[in-house]
Amino acid sequence: MTERYSRQILFSPIGEAGQKKFREKHVLLLGAGALGTGNAEALVRAGIGRLTIIDRDYVECSNLQRQQLYAEHDARERLPKAMAAKQRLMEVNSEVQVDAYVMDGIPAEVERLLGGVDLMIDATDNFDARMMMNDLAQKYQIPWIYGACVSSYGISYTILPGKTPCLNCLLDQVPIGGMTCDTAGIISPAVQMVVAHQTAEAMKILVEDWSALRQKLVSFDLWKNQHSAIGVSVMRNEACPSCGNNPTYPFLEYSQQMKTAVLCGRDSVQIRPSEKKVWNLEKVAKTLAKQQGEVEQNPYLVSFTKKDRRMVLFKDGRALIHGTKDITEAKTLYHRYFG
């Protein structure tokens, strides 16, 4: 296997020295879905020294269209994504240390895994998790790469603590609601394009070629043939609570986290988002009507039933997930259908 990395070493910005640096670096990947599997495979094939994967979900048949590490038997067996990904990655490159954690990526759990991490990559499905990553990155001075995609659209941005605006600088508040892959669909080229942007930036960071890093936020719509790169350096906010002169890291606080509770005597979980918002229930109902399930609506709530799970969303974003006492499953369903 002496020639495993020979073509990569021939690329002069990496070379022998860069390859050695790859072998010494540790990347934490939050999420093992479409973006997660793409980034994980690219990094493992490139010869990263250590990869930590965190994911709370299991493999389903609908994942196979775009989540490249998984096979039909993973979906049949409902293997946790983190473990299925590790199994496949070890077959790809047994020299890499892959640590897999089947868990919900809450701040306390992720924080304890940050020792020795050189880079974090966003492969999550919600802004609560991304804003948590943003605050952890600022607190521990760890670079991280934001990425998201839905439909034929994708976006990516590289954040260097102390040097670039953080994600909180770019957002007035955490977005709640909106399209998800389960409500708007997604095509695999959009995934692959975001992965390409994230992985290229990751490789630059890992070989410490800081001058080569992209300085802009990039977005695209492959179906509409649109692409943009926006300079955001002027958006850095000295008063930002995440990266400003007096940071408080608000998204690591309990008050800023999604609240969950198993309802006593009922096979149900209540979820309250970190930010209250008045939802457009009619719009939500129309989006859910495209799914294979039963939708009911009144002026106060929308009810969506699929198989043996019923989800009830109220105007303020609070939801009841009926048919389970599993908080992790309830949060997954919430983000899947309500964004």
Side-chain angles (χ1 to χ4, degrees), residues 32-248:
L35 295 181
T37 54
N39 275 285
E41 183 167 353
L43 290 171
V44 165
R45 289 189 183 277
I48 188 69
R50 182 180 177 189
L51 179 67
T52 294
I53 302 172
I54 301 172
D55 193 278
R56 67 189 179 197
D57 208 354
Y58 59 87
V59 182
E60 298 179 87
C61 184
S62 62
N63 301 149
L64 302 180
Q65 165 252 355
R66 65 197 180 283
Q67 299 183 17
Q68 65 189 57
L69 289 178
Y70 307 132
E72 292 178 355
H73 64 84
D74 298 318
R76 283 196 299 268
E77 297 171 17
R78 295 191 175 186
L79 286 181
K81 288 183 178 180
M83 304 313 298
K86 178 178 179 177
Q87 290 177 15
R88 174 58 180 153
L89 291 169
M90 296 308 297
E91 293 172 350
V92 169
N93 191 344
S94 60
E95 297 177 351
V96 176
Q97 178 181 340
V98 179
D99 300 322
Y101 295 89
V102 183
M103 67 183 194
D104 194 9
I106 61 175
E109 294 292 343
V110 177
E111 193 166 10
R112 71 180 179 85
L113 299 175
L114 291 181
V117 168
D118 299 288
L119 171 68
M120 294 192 293
I121 297 180
D122 167 30
T124 64
D125 60 0
N126 66 89
F127 265 90
D128 283 336
R130 291 181 178 117
M131 298 306 284
M132 173 203 69
M133 287 186 73
N134 185 71
D135 274 10
L136 287 173
Q138 301 303 320
K139 182 177 180 180
Y140 292 98
Q141 296 292 290
I142 300 172
W144 76 287
I145 305 172
Y146 161 59
C149 53
V150 66
S151 187
S152 56
Y153 173 82
I155 187 169
S156 180
Y157 174 54
T158 302
I159 299 170
L160 303 179
K163 296 182 179 179
T164 67
C166 76
L167 194 60
N168 200 7
C169 290
L170 273 56
L171 302 173
D172 292 330
Q173 60 182 5
V174 179
I176 298 178
M179 295 190 300
T180 72
C181 294
D182 287 85
T183 58
I186 189 167
I187 57 173
S188 61
V191 174
Q192 295 157 7
M193 183 66 79
V194 175
V195 167
H197 280 293
Q198 287 185 298
T199 305
E201 291 288 279
M203 294 176 79
K204 297 172 192 177
I205 290 172
L206 297 173
V207 302
E208 301 171 16
D209 189 358
W210 306 104
S211 63
L213 285 169
R214 183 183 64 239
Q215 302 296 318
K216 298 182 177 182
L217 182 150
V218 297
S219 65
F220 60 84
D221 190 315
L222 293 178
W223 208 260
K224 296 178 181 178
N225 303 307
Q226 297 172 348
H227 183 277
S228 67
I230 305 170
V232 295
S233 59
V234 297
M235 296 184 187
R236 190 174 183 195
N237 179 9
E238 293 184 356
C240 174
S242 296
C243 73
N245 295 334
N246 298 291
T248 57

